[in-house]
Amino acid sequence: MLFVCVHNAGRSQMAAAFLTHLAGDRIEVRSAGSAPADTVNPAAVQAMAEAGIDLSAETPKVLTVEAVRASDVVITMGCGDTCPVFPGKTYLDWRLDDPAGRGVDAVRPIRDEIERRVRDLLAELLPR
């Protein structure tokens, strides 16, 4: 699974962290951005820490064709990113507010919506 956003500093990092936290080693999780930032958004790091997930050591990564090719599911985060399209892959677009430049109070609802979507996706992919 690959989560993609422009800067790979907020939404895609939070989504990847939630999926990794919830799925463990059952799903290989990646995140990337077409124009990665230098660091992960500090408000996203703080909001995720409140949820018990540490993003402090994460770094934004550049989107590569190889990352898309290696993923079965590619989820863009509503930021207009262009992503290589390969047959046989599932592509989803989650339209979410951008946490860039916002404080933790504004990031919490975005975090919560991402967690809800990740839990729903996980239930579809790995039904009990």
Side-chain angles (χ1 to χ4, degrees):
M1 175 120 6
L2 173 64
F3 293 98
V4 180
C5 200
V6 173
H7 300 298
N8 188 226
R11 294 168 288 192
S12 54
Q13 288 280 350
M14 289 189 284
F18 271 126
L19 187 57
T20 298
H21 177 75
L22 296 168
D25 61 1
R26 297 179 292 168
I27 297 177
E28 186 176 344
V29 182
R30 301 174 182 83
S31 70
S34 58
D38 293 330
T39 61
V40 175
N41 179 333
V45 172
Q46 183 179 347
M48 291 299 286
E50 293 172 0
I53 299 173
D54 184 8
L55 283 184
S56 63
E58 295 299 323
T59 57
K61 296 163 246 1
V62 69
L63 176 64
T64 64
V65 169
E66 292 79 21
V68 177
R69 189 174 282 129
S71 301
D72 296 320
V73 178
V74 178
I75 300 175
T76 57
M77 309 305 273
C79 38
D81 240 3
T82 57
C83 197
V85 175
F86 295 102
K89 310 275 180 214
T90 299
Y91 293 87
L92 304 171
D93 183 43
W94 290 357
R95 299 209 176 267
L96 298 159
D97 290 336
D98 189 348
R102 298 180 183 203
V104 71
D105 289 339
V107 173
R108 285 183 191 112
I110 300 167
R111 174 204 62 201
D112 295 345
E113 177 62 15
I114 290 170
E115 181 181 13
R116 184 192 67 73
R117 291 181 189 210
V118 167
R119 285 182 182 278
D120 289 350
L121 180 65
L122 190 56
E124 285 179 36
L125 295 174
L126 302 173
R128 294 194 183 254

